[in-house]
Amino acid sequence: MSTIVLVGGSFLGAWAWERVTPLLTAYGHQVHPLTLTGFGDRAHLGSPDTTLTTHARDITAAIEYAGLREVVLVAHSYGGAPATIAATTIPGRIARLIYLAALLPEPGQSLFDSTPAPVVEAITQTVRDGRIPVMNDEVIDANFGEHGLTPEDRAWLRARGAGQPIGTYQDPAPADLSAAQRLPRTYIACAADPGGPPRMPGMEVITLDSGHWPMITEPESLARVLDEAARS
């Protein structure tokens, strides 16, 4: 069985995987959901100095200090960026990268560099105390298609979600990400997400019938797909 490390997207900590972790454990995997600096029970550690590099180091430190090897590194949404950088740093410990509706960083560029200027401006205007606030219903409904979040799901997400440190979107990725790009990679696209998965040579693409947060809305389906990908 596999050692699976789970990294959530913007605003999310290890708590976001609570519906998936026991299912993966039941499949026989060793599962490590992570909380990055500034989120979840580490929300108090976030600051204007929290960057994309900080989050990549969070991931590498968690893997190294636990002595994990042959890791299946699963990264959701924003988490795809720091996970890619982390995998570039410790490729010998990573067996497979699994991107879940994830952002893939461009070498030498920040996430804002590859985002349309009007979107960057709109996001920047919402920043308070160095953080992008957790999305309200209007933002979710306007940008994430048939996301499938119930009113109860949204309340749960907001009760635990923490604002995204703005530096994580402004900090450029390393100029060389080739070590991560040489690893076995799987992209899980969520069918209800607007747009499509990135076109990357050599990367397997699987489509999951879900919205953007399947760990919340479709945990059984997601766990089954992750199990199959981890065994491949």
Side-chain angles (χ1 to χ4, degrees), residues 57-77:
R57 288 173 176 165
D58 287 340
I59 298 168
T60 58
I63 292 171
E64 290 179 326
Y65 278 91
L68 305 182
R69 294 189 178 276
E70 293 296 309
V71 170
V72 176
L73 180 55
V74 179
H76 169 252
S77 195

Side-chain angles (χ1 to χ4, degrees), residues 21-228:
T21 298
L23 301 175
L24 291 174
T25 300
Y27 278 122
H29 303 293
Q30 184 186 52
V31 187
H32 301 263
L34 302 187
T35 295
L36 305 180
T37 299
F39 301 138
D41 58 0
R42 304 184 69 199
H44 62 291
L45 300 176
S47 75
D49 295 326
T50 302
T51 65
L52 182 59
T53 301
T54 306
H55 285 169
R57 288 173 176 165
D58 287 340
I59 298 168
T60 58
I63 292 171
E64 290 179 326
Y65 278 91
L68 305 182
R69 294 189 178 276
E70 293 296 309
V71 170
V72 176
L73 180 55
V74 179
H76 169 252
S77 195
Y78 158 78
T84 299
I85 298 167
T88 297
T89 305
I90 51 169
R93 292 180 180 266
I94 309 300
R96 177 174 292 274
L97 270 169
I98 300 180
Y99 295 108
L100 174 60
L103 297 175
L104 274 61
E106 294 291 337
Q109 295 190 8
S110 72
L111 295 178
F112 271 169
D113 287 338
S114 54
T115 302
V119 176
V120 173
E121 182 178 358
I123 292 173
T124 302
Q125 288 177 354
T126 70
V127 173
R128 297 292 181 273
D129 298 324
R131 292 180 183 252
I132 305 167
V134 179
M135 293 178 289
N136 60 30
D137 284 352
E138 182 180 1
V139 173
I140 291 173
D141 293 341
N143 293 282
F144 292 95
E146 297 296 326
H147 50 73
L149 293 172
T150 66
E152 293 76 16
D153 291 334
R154 299 181 196 218
W156 186 65
L157 191 155
R158 292 202 184 93
R160 295 190 176 190
Q164 180 88 8
I166 186 67
T168 59
Y169 280 59
Q170 298 169 324
D171 187 26
D176 184 2
L177 299 173
S178 59
Q181 293 165 351
R182 288 192 293 267
L183 292 167
R185 294 173 298 159
T186 300
Y187 195 99
I188 302 174
C190 295
D193 266 352
R199 299 186 182 278
M200 297 290 287
M203 184 160 58
E204 176 190 26
V205 177
I206 300 170
T207 300
L208 182 65
D209 187 14
S210 78
H212 189 71
W213 293 273
M215 72 283 283
I216 297 174
T217 61
E218 297 289 343
E220 293 87 0
S221 297
L222 176 60
R224 184 170 59 253
V225 170
L226 290 177
D227 172 61
E228 293 171 354

